[in-house]
Amino acid sequence: AEETPLERFRRQVLPGRTVKDVTDVIERTCKSMKPGQMVHSETFTLMEAVSAIELGDPKVDIGVIPEARDTGLPTDLFKAGRAPLELDLDSLLSLLDGMLARELSWYRGNFLAETLYTCIYLHDMDRLGSNSILKAFCELTRLTCLKVLSLVHRAGVSEEEDFCIAYNGLPLHADSGGSDNPQTWLNFASVVIEKLLKVAASTTGTISLNSEDFPIGGKLSKQDIEKIAARIELRSSYLNIINFLEDDRETNSKKLEKYIRQAQSSLDIIAESFHESSENECGWFVKYLNKACMPAIPPRTIDKVSGSEVIQYFKDFLEHAIVVSMTTKCKNILTLQRHLEDFSDRNPQTIIRSLQSLICSKLNLKGVVSSSFGLTVKYLESEPELACCLDKCATIAEAYTNAACHNKCQQHRKFKKLLRELNDSMEQLKVLQMPLQTLSQTDNRSEGGDTHIGRSELAILIIISWLCAFSHSIALKQMLVGFDLELYEKTDFLMIYWYCERLLTDYIAAVQEWNSQLVRMNEMTKKGKGRKQRKDQKQSIVLLNEDQVMGRIFVLESMRLAFNGTVRMLAALKKYGSIECADLSINRYAQRFRHFQSLAIPEPLGYGAYDFATKTGELTASQLCESAKLSFANSLRLVSHLKATLPLEATENKKVTNTLQRVCTTNSIAMKCCSASTDLVCDFEFDNRIIVLKLRSF
């Protein structure tokens, strides 16, 4: 007789249990219920229905998957011999490399319970005491997980889809006889590595290493022993680097260099000997081992991570670690912006972004911000109003560093929020400045000269001008990040680059205004007559770096000219018919720039300004080409002038200036070709978010 669904359910899901058929009860209940009614327990809420699963469906119900149901507990698997402590070389390397691959899978947003902690060996550290290799590797792996979870949680620069910090029920903490002190196990690992390398150094042919500490079956060569040591060394160096960066011990930079060298040499060995293994070969990785620790979600397929991906991750991590360690050398917001933009352009993973955020949070932001203003901390803290301004700006700087350490998708959203905060702060500072302005005018009439009240008023104006320039830089960054995220269509390019050019124009004006006010403050301090002024003269309150300001203006103007040339180039291509560029409506314009409309700074630009500026009806395509070439040429001249007159600033801005030279040179040549022949197909590429025109024949 054919098996009924109820009989099959009894046999597969609940063997040996009593099951009662309630179909009749449910049918009678349904007949007596009115539309909209529902049978539920007293504690049930509709919110639970969102995460409900359909019982019996293997696509969503893990309980009906035989493999998941029959997995058993780690203790059962240990008794069954699924985690032997004596392994041959291939098995040992497959185990260690498999743990590295699954750790990387965790970093990519999967649950720890379904990746790394599917390894049976990590569920009982005490039983590893007779194998020093596994003991060192697994303890360092466990401590790395604890450290990573802690720093990612504290940094708060990742979303759930980037990194999952849930680990309920997993044995990440040491048992009663163990230790969660990283240094304890780092020292233990160092002893194990030293012993292995000592044995390797004395080995000429092959030897048997099957001893009490190293129960490895078979004959091993010198290279085989070095392969094992390299994997423990990588684990040790990786944890050391994370600890070093989190503690930010600036004075011990040689230690970081040492850890990175050790990790690099270990990676070279691992890259040549990485063991790729299939799921069937890895008996010590059990897919559903932690089903009790998983949230109520459908079973998921975890993509396999290859050896080359593992090696590349660690290489990128080491490269990014060097960049992150340079954070403490940023003494003002301008250098910090350059540093964080360079860091973000490397597309770092969640862990290194979290480390970068934590280091930024430890910076003396008041000192960084005051240096950016061009005023000393001591002077700003000497006046209550100025101290309040300094606190507000330090808060803004903290919000900026946090936003800049997110991934680019989140940056695009958080920079919008930061712009609103900047505008609110500027309005609050203007309120502080108004009574000082009245008192300053009164003092000037009575004393016939500038007073310390007038200086305080000017200091607030300096801070407001600096915030204005800073807000323009954030707005520009927010717009350009859209190119990395591919948010813009080709028909938007003309509009986007025109808006960026206008932002740069106002940005330059704000920097010049801030610089002129700073010069005036410096002159006011030198010619002050009162007791307060004479006291201030003993120690300067103005930190003026004319070369840095001029270098900044040169770079911004070069960028503005390059964007101007890009706008003209796109308009010329539109005239030639080489590109499709639909006339954008006011609704599309409002959609792209609506987040600027509620701001005072940067001043929002209406559709009428864009429409007027980009109307090219009176200009021919040839004239637009010539205008574009002129803008690109002027940008190149400014870059050359910067390198000739301010070489130090040119070096500081090397990435931007090199990009401008490549883009302007390439686009100038492309414009000449367009003028000579219209039988060309236009393609676009991007070089640091600036369009590069590529031409090819039909």
Side-chain angles (χ1 to χ4, degrees):
E2 186 178 352
E3 189 178 37
T4 66
L6 181 60
E7 290 172 339
R8 185 167 59 255
F9 181 78
R10 285 173 173 166
R11 178 178 58 79
Q12 292 183 348
V13 181
L14 299 170
R17 297 186 183 183
T18 301
V19 180
K20 184 177 181 180
D21 190 347
V22 294
T23 305
D24 293 339
V25 177
I26 293 174
E27 288 178 349
R28 290 197 303 270
T29 304
C30 290
K31 291 177 181 178
S32 64
M33 292 174 65
K34 298 178 181 179
Q37 288 185 322
M38 180 172 61
V39 177
H40 60 84
S41 66
E42 293 181 358
T43 59
F44 176 81
T45 64
L46 288 174
M47 289 297 294
E48 294 175 354
V50 178
S51 58
I53 61 174
E54 184 179 348
L55 295 177
D57 185 350
K59 292 182 179 180
V60 293
D61 185 3
I62 196 172
V64 299
I65 302 175
E67 183 186 354
R69 194 170 58 252
D70 303 334
T71 293
L73 298 172
T75 51
D76 300 328
L77 297 175
F78 292 143
K79 291 177 182 178
R82 291 285 295 275
L85 296 179
E86 183 176 340
L87 300 166
D88 57 40
L89 177 66
D90 288 340
S91 298
L92 178 62
L93 295 184
S94 293
L95 171 61
L96 303 186
D97 292 344
M99 291 172 71
L100 290 175
R102 285 161 179 78
E103 183 177 355
L104 179 53
S105 182
W106 173 44
Y107 293 163
R108 291 178 173 179
N110 295 307
F111 288 98
L112 184 59
E114 61 186 358
T115 52
L116 180 56
Y117 263 76
T118 58
C119 180
I120 310 173
Y121 289 91
L122 292 173
H123 287 261
D124 189 352
M125 297 294 184
D126 290 340
R127 65 184 293 275
L128 302 180
S130 60
N131 189 322
S132 296
I133 294 171
L134 288 178
K135 182 71 171 176
F137 194 91
C138 290
E139 288 286 4
L140 290 180
T141 299
R142 176 182 67 83
L143 290 169
T144 300
C145 291
L146 275 176
K147 177 65 71 173
V148 166
L149 286 167
S150 172
L151 67 91
V152 170
H153 175 71
R154 285 182 290 118
V157 294
S158 66
E159 303 296 324
E160 288 186 4
E161 63 268 19
D162 297 329
F163 193 94
C164 180
I165 60 174
Y167 70 98
N168 294 339
L170 297 178
L172 262 69
H173 292 278
D175 297 329
S176 56
S179 172
D180 282 341
N181 181 7
Q183 198 56 50
T184 300
W185 296 111
L186 286 169
N187 292 339
F188 176 77
S190 296
V191 172
V192 173
I193 295 168
E194 186 179 352
K195 287 181 179 179
L196 287 171
L197 293 179
K198 191 175 289 185
V199 172
S202 60
T203 301
T204 53
T206 59
I207 62 167
S208 174
L209 200 62
N210 197 343
S211 62
E212 184 177 345
D213 287 338
F214 308 130
I216 306 173
K219 296 289 185 178
L220 302 177
S221 65
K222 175 183 178 180
Q223 290 75 20
D224 294 335
I225 300 171
E226 288 175 345
K227 291 173 187 177
I228 299 170
R231 283 153 173 82
I232 305 175
E233 183 70 76
L234 178 64
R235 281 251 65 108
S236 179
S237 299
Y238 184 56
L239 183 56
N240 271 321
I241 291 169
I242 292 175
N243 287 335
F244 178 90
L245 292 177
E246 186 184 19
D247 294 341
D248 189 25
R249 291 166 287 186
E250 186 180 1
T251 54
N252 292 329
S253 59
K254 290 185 177 180
K255 264 191 176 181
L256 179 63
E257 294 173 3
K258 174 188 172 184
Y259 298 147
I260 290 175
R261 282 197 307 270
Q262 290 173 342
Q264 287 172 337
S265 61
S266 299
L267 274 177
D268 292 339
I269 297 174
I270 296 172
E272 296 175 356
S273 59
F274 193 91
H275 272 54
E276 304 273 5
S277 54
S278 65
E279 292 291 334
N280 297 330
E281 295 174 337
C282 301
W284 37 78
F285 294 104
V286 182
K287 184 176 181 180
Y288 298 105
L289 180 63
N290 305 300
K291 58 181 181 293
C293 306
M294 291 288 293
I297 62 170
R300 302 195 301 176
T301 301
I302 308 298
D303 293 333
K304 183 180 178 182
V305 177
S306 66
S308 59
E309 291 175 297
V310 173
I311 300 301
Q312 190 58 50
Y313 166 78
F314 282 103
K315 285 183 177 180
D316 290 342
F317 177 86
L318 298 179
E319 179 186 332
H320 297 157
I322 296 172
V323 176
V324 169
S325 68
M326 307 295 288
T327 307
T328 52
K329 295 184 179 180
C330 300
K331 302 304 181 185
N332 56 50
I333 292 294
L334 182 61
T335 56
L336 187 59
Q337 276 185 290
R338 279 200 296 256
H339 169 80
L340 291 177
E341 286 175 11
D342 177 56
F343 174 74
S344 178
D345 287 343
R346 296 170 184 266
N347 295 314
Q349 295 269 4
T350 301
I351 295 174
I352 202 71
R353 285 193 288 106
S354 300
L355 286 166
Q356 176 66 84
S357 179
L358 291 175
I359 290 179
C360 286
S361 68
K362 295 177 183 179
L363 292 174
N364 176 17
L365 288 178
K366 285 188 177 181
V368 171
V369 167
S370 64
S371 177
S372 305
F373 299 155
L375 302 172
T376 63
V377 176
K378 185 175 181 180
Y379 169 65
L380 291 171
E381 291 182 337
S382 66
E383 301 289 344
E385 296 86 357
L386 300 183
C388 179
C389 294
L390 182 60
D391 289 339
K392 287 185 179 296
C393 292
T395 303
I396 289 291
E398 184 178 5
Y400 164 71
T401 57
N402 181 269
C405 291
H406 280 73
N407 62 34
K408 290 184 178 180
C409 184
Q410 292 299 321
Q411 282 181 26
H412 192 262
R413 179 175 61 85
K414 288 185 173 294
F415 283 153
K416 292 180 183 179
K417 180 180 178 182
L418 182 59
L419 284 171
R420 293 193 294 270
E421 293 177 8
L422 276 163
N423 274 258
D424 292 341
S425 296
M426 281 188 277
E427 290 301 319
Q428 293 169 10
L429 296 190
K430 287 176 183 177
V431 172
L432 287 175
Q433 183 251 342
M434 289 170 62
L436 288 175
Q437 185 178 17
T438 304
L439 290 172
S440 174
Q441 291 171 352
T442 304
D443 282 8
N444 282 338
R445 286 195 297 269
S446 61
E447 298 187 18
D450 293 323
T451 66
H452 75 279
I453 296 176
R455 283 211 315 273
S456 297
E457 177 201 354
L458 182 56
I460 294 179
L461 288 175
I462 288 171
I463 295 172
I464 292 173
S465 295
W466 180 84
L467 284 174
C468 179
F470 187 50
S471 67
H472 280 85
S473 71
I474 297 299
L476 185 66
K477 173 69 174 174
Q478 190 268 338
M479 290 290 295
L480 293 176
V481 165
F483 286 106
D484 297 331
L485 300 174
E486 299 182 352
L487 298 180
Y488 309 132
E489 299 177 13
K490 285 187 177 181
T491 52
D492 295 338
F493 289 168
L494 180 62
M495 174 178 62
I496 298 296
Y497 281 112
W498 172 82
Y499 209 102
C500 288
E501 182 198 349
R502 289 296 299 270
L503 282 175
L504 279 164
T505 301
D506 294 340
Y507 185 4
I508 294 167
V511 171
Q512 290 172 330
E513 176 68 15
W514 163 73
N515 186 51
S516 65
Q517 290 171 343
L518 205 57
V519 171
R520 183 183 161 201
M521 171 67 87
N522 194 37
E523 293 172 351
M524 184 183 291
T525 304
K526 291 179 180 178
K527 67 180 182 180
K529 297 180 180 179
R531 182 187 305 172
K532 180 78 175 176
Q533 286 87 340
R534 288 196 299 270
K535 183 179 179 181
D536 287 341
Q537 279 184 324
K538 295 179 181 179
Q539 186 172 1
S540 176
I541 63 174
V542 178
L543 306 170
L544 190 60
N545 187 338
E546 286 288 351
D547 286 352
Q548 188 178 70
V549 174
M550 290 305 300
R552 186 179 184 184
I553 291 174
F554 276 149
V555 170
L556 293 176
E557 180 61 17
S558 299
M559 287 181 64
R560 190 197 69 78
L561 288 167
F563 285 177
N564 179 270
T566 302
V567 171
R568 303 280 177 167
M569 178 180 73
L570 292 171
L573 294 175
K574 180 182 175 183
K575 282 268 188 180
Y576 280 128
S578 301
I579 61 171
E580 293 183 4
C581 190
D583 293 327
L584 298 174
S585 67
I586 188 170
N587 293 331
R588 184 59 172 271
Y589 183 91
Q591 178 187 5
R592 286 299 182 200
F593 307 114
R594 65 178 178 269
H595 57 283
F596 290 127
Q597 300 307 311
S598 60
L599 305 177
I601 302 295
E603 183 179 355
L605 303 171
Y607 179 76
Y610 163 72
D611 188 48
F612 176 79
T614 55
K615 277 186 176 177
T616 58
E618 298 179 358
L619 296 175
T620 65
S622 178
Q623 288 173 324
L624 288 170
C625 279
E626 291 301 319
S627 179
K629 287 189 288 183
L630 182 61
S631 293
F632 290 135
N634 287 336
S635 179
L636 289 171
R637 289 191 189 96
L638 269 181
V639 171
S640 299
H641 185 66
L642 173 65
K643 291 184 176 182
T645 57
L646 299 170
L648 183 60
E649 292 304 313
T651 303
E652 290 291 327
N653 294 278
K654 184 178 179 180
K655 181 179 178 180
V656 178
T657 55
N658 287 348
T659 298
L660 290 172
Q661 283 185 314
R662 291 193 301 269
V663 169
C664 292
T665 302
T666 303
N667 286 344
S668 293
I669 296 171
M671 283 288 92
K672 290 179 182 178
C673 295
C674 278
S675 301
S677 174
T678 57
D679 297 331
L680 296 170
V681 178
C682 299
D683 291 325
F684 291 138
E685 293 182 1
F686 288 94
D687 190 344
N688 286 329
R689 308 178 187 98
I690 305 178
I691 278 182
V692 179
L693 179 60
K694 299 291 184 179
L695 301 175
R696 56 185 174 85
S697 59
F698 284 104

